[in-house]
């Protein structure tokens, strides 16, 4: 148990008393440090427990962990939110307010990073020994500012501002070799000469789950210079700068692989440091590694863990290739998060050869041996698809599949596409490796913490066992016709909408109508996610309101939020377009009664926690086949928003769970999209010929009306026109508009709407990441559960 009210008051007074300025920041840091010390002690106890047990441990290696704020989450998972609230209130503070002092550590881009964070929460909550390994970037994802409708970026150095939830462990530092040359002896031994070594210092962050389970570790590696002599000709100043750079910042591009040297350094730094640390934990004979350790690589970004493990086993422990390979391919497993070709990681061979010569050497051998096992009769294309080394490049996805014992996609449709199309050739060779693990989200952060009001209502209906077993939310289905309950449910939504209105008001928008439908699209900006289709549709509605005095639909507020990669110019033009349309709609004396557009600047996890509980409509409108899973979709349904979406990613499973009657489904199917792509016979011009309204829209776009001047939309115009609309925006626009019409009509019957929303909540339990993690554990990692006795 956490401290009693008396104990906590005592401790708080003591710390707070020592503060120079007695403000919110001081109250935050006093409370945070008390919590941190408490959980740190449990982390140490947990570590000892795991060590003594000698049981299998999981290491989840990821370039990203998008944690969000820690104070509320830790307190809530400890069951101490109330007591901390009380103590603070007695001292004249509000916990909600002091929380705002915490910098949201943005150590991730989007879905992949947030998934890793949800997984950490579930591992600890289920009492499973699973630890994260990542980089302690000094600057997380950039802050987004909007200037004249355009996105501007500025760096954030979260570490300097943030209260240390992590603890430095100098004594556990390891060293990572870069550059240099290989010397191969006749007996097969390999030496790495003249390497430049970088020190990796771990900062350990306690991961507190719910259910008073063990406290796991998220280890963040920081790059520093080390004491070894530098090879001749290497300048000390340059060395120090280059070292610090490795953990300086997160790459802000989450779909396009630029092949940058620094990114490669980060990847190897993380893989090597993490694997060395795993061996340093030790406690078992090296040959038994797969019985004691499972390593999950989050996409291909840490795929160098495969050759690095080979290196350690052979060069460090003297194992033969065959022995080392047998161990590696029983230890490492890989999750794929994308099917976008441009996001598939490929590195220039010369770059790896120069930066990590031994790793390249091992990859070459992996490729050689793999090619030697391939059946005869493969055609050219098939051989390409199966090559780790291909035309001067290293293909990380092939390396990851060949070197892993399990490979998974993140939603059922996604896994099927991997097997049937993207990785068809690899699947034919390794059918037993492929499996699906549909993503999930932690219901603790996304329901219990973000929406305490709904949490209470649920608990009043079905008791609180669902908090431990979220699938029990299904019991809510028995109450779907209870009118009084549905009215309370509606009141909760209204409250969350008002809270959001207050938050947005603080940011300067005073005009949000609480009676309007809250329609929200929040996610990274990407062509395939089709924020463009959303804003074009808003403009269509605006046109209709102006041209047709009888068209007066139920008021709607469209919220957008998300960042574009700084170099993704198309996506930035869409952001500009949203601002331009917002300006027009919000200032039109007639239209503003029915339409309102809000752009949430610098969207992050903390904003999501406020937006999602207030949402009524969840926009999940990716081009079918492109969104591997999506996880925002799950957060929304769990908070009672209805999905307006395509049959893509995990939407498919959401629709299955709730029935299509409880959502607004539209658009081309994945199969149709893939057929068009294969045949190359989609002609957006034909859509224009048939549809006068869309024609008008494009004319307005070309006239610069949607962008404060034509030049601001040139890439959008080009994509929809000359580039033949690769994401089928025009093709799906009409069907999208019809889905909106069905939605507005449904909204008119509030009781029925609340029933639908309730059904969504009731069937959201299977999308808890507790379910996902249990499946990984059963099918891939084989972990045992722990209880921490205190
Ligand atoms: C690669 C190379 C160099 C630099 C950056 C990258 C890079 C970084 C991040 C490539 C991709 C990402 C992130 C991908 C991502 O977030 N994918 C999302 O993963 C979610 C969790 O599985 C899914 O729900 C989403 O559908 C998927 O888009």
């Amino acid at each position: 148990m956490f401290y009693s009210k008396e104990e906590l008051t005592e401790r708080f007074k003591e710390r707070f008393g020592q503060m120079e300025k007695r403000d919110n920041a001081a109250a935050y840091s006093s409370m945070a440090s008390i919590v941190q010390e408490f959980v740190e002690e449990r982390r140490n106890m947990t570590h000892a427990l795991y060590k003594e047990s000698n049981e299998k441990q999981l290491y989840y290696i990821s370039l990203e962990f998008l944690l969000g704020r820690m104070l509320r989450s830790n307190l809530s998972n400890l069951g101490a939110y109330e007591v901390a609230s009380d103590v603070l209130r007695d001292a004249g503070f509000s916990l909600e307010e002091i929380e705002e002092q915490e910098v949201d550590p943005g150590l991730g881009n989007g879905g992949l990073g947030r998934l890793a964070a949800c997984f950490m929460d579930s591992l600890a909550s289920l009492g499973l020994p699973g630890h994260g390994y990542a980089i302690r970037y000094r600057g997380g994802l950039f802050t987004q500012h909007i200037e004249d409708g355009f996105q501007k970026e500025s760096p954030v150095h979260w570490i300097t501002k943030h209260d240390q939830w992590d603890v430095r462990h100098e004594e556990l530092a390891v060293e990572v070799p870069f550059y240099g040359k290989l010397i191969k002896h006749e007996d097969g031994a390999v030496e790495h000469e003249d390497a430049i070594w970088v020190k990796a210092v771990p900062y350990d962050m306690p991961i507190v789950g719910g259910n008073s389970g063990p406290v796991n570790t998220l280890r963040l590696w920081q790059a520093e210079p080390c004491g070894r002599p530098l090879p001749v000709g290497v300048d000390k100043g340059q060395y120090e700068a280059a070292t610090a750079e490795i953990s300086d910042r997160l790459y802000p591009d989450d779909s396009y692989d630029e092949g940058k040297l620094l990114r490669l350094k980060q990847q190897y730094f993380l893989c090597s440091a993490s694997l060395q640390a795993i061996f340093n934990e030790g406690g078992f004979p090296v040959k038994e590694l797969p019985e004691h350790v499972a390593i999950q690589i989050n996409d291909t970004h840490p795929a160098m863990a495969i050759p690095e493990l080979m290196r350690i086993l052979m060069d460090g422990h003297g194992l033969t290739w065959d022995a080392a390979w047998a161990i590696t391919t029983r230890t490492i497993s890989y999750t794929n998060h994308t099917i976008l070709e441009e996001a598939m990681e490929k590195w220039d061979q010369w770059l790896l050869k120069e930066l990590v010569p031994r790793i390249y050497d091992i990859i070459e051998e992996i490729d050689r041996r793999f090619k030697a096992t391939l059946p005869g009769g493969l055609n050219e294309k098939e051989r390409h698809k199966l090559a780790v080394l291909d035309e001067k490049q290293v293909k990380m996805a092939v390396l990851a599949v060949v070197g892993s014992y399990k490979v998974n996609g993140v939603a059922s449709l996604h896994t099927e596409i991997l097997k049937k199309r993207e990785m068809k050739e690899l699947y034919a060779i390794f059918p037993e490796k492929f499996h699906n693990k549909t993503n999930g989200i932690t219901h603790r952060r996304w329901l219990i913490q973000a929406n305490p009001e709904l949490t209470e209502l649920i608990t009043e209906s079905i008791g609180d066992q669902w908090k431990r077993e979220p699938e029990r939310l299904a019991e809510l289905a028995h109450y779907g016709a209870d009118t009084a309950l549905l009215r309370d449910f509606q009141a909760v939504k209204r409250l969350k909408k008002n809270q959001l209105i207050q938050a947005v008001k603080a940011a300067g928008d005073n005009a949000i109508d609480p009676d309007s439908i809250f329609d929200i699209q929040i996610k990274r900006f990407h062509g395939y996610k089709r924020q463009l289709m959303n804003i074009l549709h808003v403009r269509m509605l605006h046109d209709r309101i102006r041209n047709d005095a009888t068209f007066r639909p139920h008021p709607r507020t469209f919220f957008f939020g998300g960042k574009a990669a700084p170099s993704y110019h198309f996506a930035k033009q869409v952001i500009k377009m949203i601002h331009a349309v917002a300006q027009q709609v919000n200032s039109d004396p007639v239209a503003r009664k029915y339409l309102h557009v809000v752009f949430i600047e610098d969207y992050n996890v903390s904003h999501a926690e406020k937006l999602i509980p207030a949402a009524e409509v969840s926009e999940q409108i990716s081009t079918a086949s492109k969104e591997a899973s999506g996880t925002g979709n799950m957060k929304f349904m769990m908070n009672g928003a209805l999905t307006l979406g395509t049959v893509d990613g995990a939407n498919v499973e959401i629709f299955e769970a709730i029935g299509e009657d409880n959502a607004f489904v539209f658009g081309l199917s994945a199969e149709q999209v893939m057929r068009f792509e294969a045949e190359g016979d989609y002609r957006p011009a034909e859509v224009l010929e048939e549809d006068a309204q869309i024609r008008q829209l494009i004319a307005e776009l070309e006239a610069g009306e949607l962008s404060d001047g034509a030049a601001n939309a040139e890439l959008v115009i080009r994509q929809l026109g000359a580039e033949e609309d690769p994401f089928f925006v025009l093709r799906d626009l009409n069907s999208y508009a019809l889905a909106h019409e069905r939605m507005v009509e449904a909204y008119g019957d509030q009781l029925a709407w609340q029933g639908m929303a309730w059904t969504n909540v009731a069937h959201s339990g299977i999308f808890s990441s507790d379910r996902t993690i249990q499946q990984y554990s059963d099918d891939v990692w084989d972990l045992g559960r722990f209880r921490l006795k205190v």
Side-chain angles (χ1 to χ4, degrees), residues 18 29 99 145 236 248 269-270 302 405 413 435 440 446 527 533 593 625 629 636 646-647 651 699 714-715 746:
Q18 293 165 5
S29 81
E99 279 180 306
H145 308 275
K236 186 154 179 277
D248 185 62
F269 172 75
L270 171 61
Y405 66 102
L413 175 66
H435 66 111
W446 296 108
M533 186 167 73
K593 295 195 200 117
S625 81
S629 162
F636 279 107
T646 49
V647 187
N651 293 356
E714 61 183 284
L715 295 177

Side-chain angles (χ1 to χ4, degrees), residues 134-290:
I135 294 177
R136 190 170 191 257
Y137 304 107
R138 190 163 68 102
L141 191 59
F142 62 85
T143 300
Q144 176 193 58
H145 308 275
I146 302 295
E147 281 173 31
D148 187 29
F150 291 101
Q151 169 177 300
K152 295 283 179 299
E153 304 91 24
S154 61
V156 251
H157 288 165
W158 68 281
I159 285 169
T160 50
K161 291 190 201 160
H162 125 124
D163 269 277
Q164 309 279 307
W165 290 103
D166 55 1
V167 179
R168 181 181 173 97
H169 284 280
E170 182 78 41
E171 75 287 3
L172 299 176
V174 296
E175 292 175 340
V176 178
F178 288 100
Y179 298 103
K181 56 178 184 286
L182 298 184
I183 302 182
K184 296 201 169 182
H185 297 283
E186 259 172 36
D187 63 353
V190 179
E191 273 181 89
H192 188 173
E193 255 196 11
D194 281 345
I196 300 179
W197 295 81
V198 174
K199 183 158 83 166
V201 184
Y203 283 73
D204 287 348
M205 189 183 278
I207 300 292
V208 184
N211 317 329
S212 48
V215 174
N216 288 337
T217 301
L218 172 59
R219 175 165 287 179
L220 305 173
W221 295 105
Q222 179 163 293
E224 296 178 13
C226 72
R228 298 199 188 211
L230 289 171
V232 189
V234 177
D235 175 81
K236 186 154 179 277
Q238 274 177 358
Y239 164 70
E240 282 169 3
T243 306
E245 206 188 5
I246 295 179
S247 48
D248 185 62
R249 63 178 193 277
L250 168 73
Y251 270 80
D253 208 312
D254 70 340
S255 67
Y256 186 69
D257 165 25
E258 278 190 289
K260 285 278 176 3
L261 178 64
L262 178 59
R263 172 74 178 185
L264 193 66
K265 287 183 187 169
Q266 292 182 333
Q267 294 184 347
Y268 184 61
F269 172 75
L270 171 61
C271 292
S272 180
S274 304
L275 284 203
Q276 292 184 54
I278 292 170
F279 277 90
N280 289 346
E281 285 287 326
F284 50 82
V286 169
K287 290 196 170 152
E288 289 172 19
L289 186 75

Side-chain angles (χ1 to χ4, degrees), residues 64 111-112 253-254 257 263 301 337 345 439 528 627-630:
E64 307 191 10
L112 167 146
D253 208 312
D254 70 340
D257 165 25
R263 172 74 178 185
H301 316 152
H337 296 267
E345 272 193 296
N439 282 166
Y528 81 84
E627 188 71 272
S629 162

Side-chain angles (χ1 to χ4, degrees), residues 651-722:
N651 293 356
V652 175
E653 286 141 278
I654 291 178
F655 299 152
E656 253 167 42
I658 58 178
E660 287 203 8
D661 294 350
N662 292 302
F664 306 100
V665 184
F666 76 96
L668 291 174
S669 68
E671 229 166 274
Q672 289 172 314
V673 168
M674 292 190 290
R675 187 165 348 101
F676 272 128
E677 287 176 340
E679 307 291 326
D681 59 353
Y682 165 51
R683 297 278 169 268
E686 289 169 11
V687 177
L688 296 185
E689 264 163 46
E690 276 168 30
D691 193 318
Q693 222 187 342
I694 298 182
R695 212 159 49 232
Q696 186 196 337
L697 195 62
I698 297 301
E700 291 167 358
L701 175 66
E702 286 173 343
E705 288 173 31
L706 280 63
S707 52
D708 299 342
N712 296 331
E714 61 183 284
L715 295 177
V716 173
I717 292 166
R718 194 198 306 162
Q719 183 165 103
L720 293 178

Side-chain angles (χ1 to χ4, degrees), residues 292-304:
H292 292 270
V293 167
I295 297 173
Q296 187 74 33
I297 57 173
N298 201 20
D299 216 291
T300 54
H301 316 152
M304 276 185 281

Side-chain angles (χ1 to χ4, degrees), residues 394-536:
V394 186
K395 296 195 308 211
M396 303 309 266
V398 184
L399 175 66
V401 174
V402 175
S404 298
Y405 66 102
K406 291 276 172 186
V407 176
N408 74 288
V410 290
S412 135
L413 175 66
H414 170 58
T415 302
E416 288 311 306
I417 294 175
L418 287 179
K419 292 200 290 197
K420 296 206 181 93
R421 209 185 53 177
E422 239 43 54
M423 298 192 167
K424 181 166 163 247
E425 295 77 12
L426 285 161
Y427 176 59
I429 294 177
F430 304 116
E432 73 293 344
K433 288 190 184 184
F434 285 75
H435 66 111
N436 175 247
K437 289 290 165 285
T438 300
N439 282 166
I441 56 165
T442 167
H443 61 288
R444 285 165 292 274
R445 182 176 287 264
W446 296 108
L447 177 53
I448 298 172
Q449 293 155 35
N451 201 341
E453 298 86 351
L454 180 55
T455 298
E456 198 181 316
L457 187 66
I458 293 169
T459 302
E460 280 168 16
S461 311
I462 59 171
D464 71 358
Q465 202 49 31
W466 65 273
K467 292 182 181 173
R468 274 174 180 270
E469 296 167 57
E471 284 174 38
R472 287 216 179 180
L473 285 171
E475 291 166 23
L476 292 172
H478 303 309
Y479 305 90
D482 179 337
T483 317
L485 185 63
L486 292 182
R487 295 222 184 287
D488 290 344
F489 182 47
Q490 184 176 14
V492 167
K493 184 60 78 182
R494 179 70 177 212
L495 182 75
K496 299 314 276 183
K497 286 171 76 176
N498 280 324
Q499 289 174 3
L500 179 61
I501 289 176
Q502 291 312 316
V504 176
K505 203 181 255 174
D509 190 330
N510 283 312
I512 301 175
D513 173 4
D515 287 320
S516 66
I517 304 171
F518 279 26
D519 179 308
I520 307 190
Q521 186 175 21
I522 41 177
K523 50 185 79 238
R524 283 297 288 260
F525 271 80
H526 270 294
Y528 81 84
K529 292 179 190 282
R530 300 199 292 193
Q531 285 94 349
L532 174 61
M533 186 167 73
N534 187 341
I535 197 64
L536 287 176

Side-chain angles (χ1 to χ4, degrees), residues 115-132:
L115 183 76
C118 283
F119 281 6
M120 286 297 107
D121 185 87
S122 285
L123 282 161
S125 301
L126 295 175
L128 297 172
H131 313 281

